Amino acid sequence: MPTRAQRKLAQQALGLSMAAPLVIAHRVGRMAKAGPNPSARDRKEFKQMGAEKVAAFYESWAAMGQAAMKAQQSMWLAMMRNAALAPWGAAKPASLLPTPAALTQHSLRVMSQGLAPVHRRAAANAKRLGRIKPRR
């Protein structure tokens, strides 16, 4: 049975895989239609497109870095707790390490945090661009 972190990551990936092609198709069509002389409305959209990509990239990296730091702290505290509870010399080095399941959960959280800003922007753009009436 998938964990909560696995379901969240899968939902984000699915949402992104549905929103991104719609946004790309709309914007590429708009660029092709605008040609060498885009209107002010088109220039605004193209500028926003570039700025959003940069902002989403930085937000994604910051969120992943923060999630990775939390994961490292959690694992460090668990190792220290295991070492403190075991009598001196009784703790085996392998028992101090985080379990594979814990590593998987932490990795999924890091990936989910990194994907969230990109998913959020792509879904919002798909919704916004779907409402825009094309000019004839």
Side-chain angles (χ1 to χ4, degrees):
M1 177 144 205
T3 65
R4 187 172 165 189
Q6 290 170 328
R7 285 192 304 272
K8 182 177 180 182
L9 185 60
Q11 287 172 345
Q12 287 175 325
L14 178 63
L16 184 60
S17 70
M18 292 171 52
L22 296 172
V23 173
I24 292 168
H26 179 89
R27 287 181 168 165
V28 168
R30 193 167 181 169
M31 284 183 217
K33 191 173 180 182
N37 298 319
S39 68
R41 183 176 156 197
D42 289 333
R43 284 193 304 273
K44 181 181 175 189
E45 178 67 27
F46 301 153
K47 184 178 177 183
Q48 179 181 351
M49 174 179 54
E52 279 183 342
K53 284 182 182 4
V54 172
F57 173 79
Y58 283 120
E59 284 178 30
S60 177
W61 273 102
M64 287 174 62
Q66 187 176 20
M69 281 182 17
K70 284 181 181 178
Q72 289 170 350
Q73 288 174 349
S74 172
M75 288 185 282
W76 182 81
L77 287 171
M79 288 179 1
M80 292 301 111
R81 192 171 29 253
N82 289 343
L85 293 177
W88 294 109
K92 296 178 185 171
S95 69
L96 298 178
L97 297 176
T99 63
L103 292 174
T104 300
Q105 289 304 309
H106 288 302
S107 299
L108 288 170
R109 276 191 215 104
V110 170
M111 288 187 285
S112 181
Q113 291 293 318
L115 195 56
V118 177
H119 172 264
R120 188 172 48 250
R121 285 229 166 81
N125 282 333
K127 185 177 180 179
R128 180 179 59 82
L129 294 173
R131 290 190 309 249
I132 294 175
K133 301 290 183 210
R135 287 198 218 162
R136 304 213 181 226

